[in-house]
Amino acid sequence: MDVDLEVLIAEAERSGWAAGPSRRLADGIEARIVVPLSHRLRKALGSDEAAQMARVIAWERCLELAVDPPASGASWGYLANLVRWRLQDAVRAEVVRRRRHPLTWRFPDAEAAQWPILGYHLERIALELTAEGLAPSVGRRLIRAAADGPPFYRAGIVARVRRAGATGAQADGLAWLLRGGASHMSALARLALGESAEVVFADPVVRRWIRAVAGRDQRFFGGSSRLGHRRTAGVEWLAAA
């Protein structure tokens, strides 16, 4: 499959995602993204599971690229990197799950009808941001900027989201939602580990992150509420001085 990715996406989009052009794009994804998947990812996730997740992630990103392509253009290498980073996140979540303290093994995970797809969880977070008052297009743009790594450390996520036009509080809140830290597991990781969305988004700490990303808490600095209060007080003291 030597046809440029941008050409295949444009053909499929112009046709209204008709069967023929969509099939050619799917064949390209199979040849350029799925077949070359690394042995390490296939071993960590299972060969069939890794391949299916790669197909889903690649197709989701092609739909996004049809609407909002990057300024530098979209190539097969660019798409392969996006898929690999998302699969690596899935591997990390699985490693964390397997390393939990043995006492937690007495409590079974909630049953899932299928392997949780990371894109679905990101969409669920975007819906929460919309419900909190953030415009859907803005929420998805900020999440896309955060996900276009690496690195996926909080500092890297904050820098990318700030470049996408977010305030400091919004960028910090989104970094906690997607990456978390030593004190709090991220909302994305909790969803990926099978925790119900109702429980995750009812958590007061997660609600605070959501409000910050939605622009309703511009005093947010991340971490605990007490730490955020001390840092904000310090900024106000310097301003008064």
Side-chain angles (χ1 to χ4, degrees):
M1 176 59 67
D2 296 325
V3 183
D4 288 343
L5 175 64
E6 289 180 320
V7 173
L8 292 175
I9 292 177
E11 289 177 351
E13 198 270 338
R14 282 196 303 268
S15 72
W17 302 96
S22 295
R23 181 71 262 170
R24 286 192 289 274
L25 176 57
D27 290 342
I29 290 173
E30 194 70 22
R32 301 295 295 270
I33 305 297
V34 179
V35 172
L37 277 179
S38 72
H39 173 72
R40 184 178 66 83
L41 289 174
R42 290 182 180 274
K43 182 178 180 180
L45 297 171
S47 183
D48 292 341
E49 200 67 58
Q52 186 61 18
M53 289 182 69
R55 294 183 187 103
V56 172
I57 294 168
W59 189 260
E60 288 176 344
R61 296 317 298 262
C62 285
L63 294 176
E64 294 178 359
L65 292 171
V67 177
D68 187 17
S72 58
S75 64
W76 286 112
Y78 176 83
L79 182 61
N81 283 337
L82 296 179
V83 171
R84 186 178 71 254
W85 296 332
R86 293 270 293 274
L87 288 178
Q88 287 172 344
D89 274 354
V91 171
R92 292 188 191 101
E94 179 64 11
V95 169
V96 169
R97 188 189 70 80
R98 292 174 180 174
R99 287 180 177 175
R100 289 180 300 178
H101 193 280
L103 285 178
T104 65
W105 299 345
R106 297 164 61 183
F107 301 92
D109 291 333
E111 291 187 9
Q114 58 184 15
W115 181 275
I117 298 169
L118 192 57
Y120 172 80
H121 300 319
L122 292 174
E123 182 66 19
R124 185 66 176 80
I125 291 173
L127 292 176
E128 287 293 325
L129 296 175
T130 300
E132 199 66 42
L134 188 67
S137 59
V138 175
R140 287 179 173 80
R141 173 166 55 83
L142 297 183
I143 289 175
R144 185 163 58 248
D148 280 346
F152 289 110
Y153 301 116
R154 276 206 313 275
I157 292 174
V158 168
R160 290 194 296 274
V161 176
R162 288 297 301 273
R163 287 196 296 269
T167 66
Q170 286 179 303
D172 207 10
L174 191 57
W176 278 93
L177 270 174
L178 302 184
R179 182 63 174 83
S183 58
H184 293 289
M185 183 182 292
S186 72
L188 181 60
R190 290 171 64 179
L191 293 171
L193 290 173
E195 195 168 346
S196 73
E198 290 72 18
V199 172
V200 172
F201 293 112
D203 186 329
V205 174
V206 176
R207 293 313 312 171
R208 185 163 176 255
W209 299 341
I210 292 286
R211 287 194 297 272
V213 181
R216 299 183 57 187
D217 183 2
Q218 291 303 319
R219 291 154 57 100
F220 179 79
F221 283 98
S224 67
S225 298
R226 185 176 298 276
L227 174 61
H229 175 75
R230 289 201 301 267
R231 292 183 62 179
T232 301
V235 171
E236 292 174 348
W237 181 84
L238 287 173

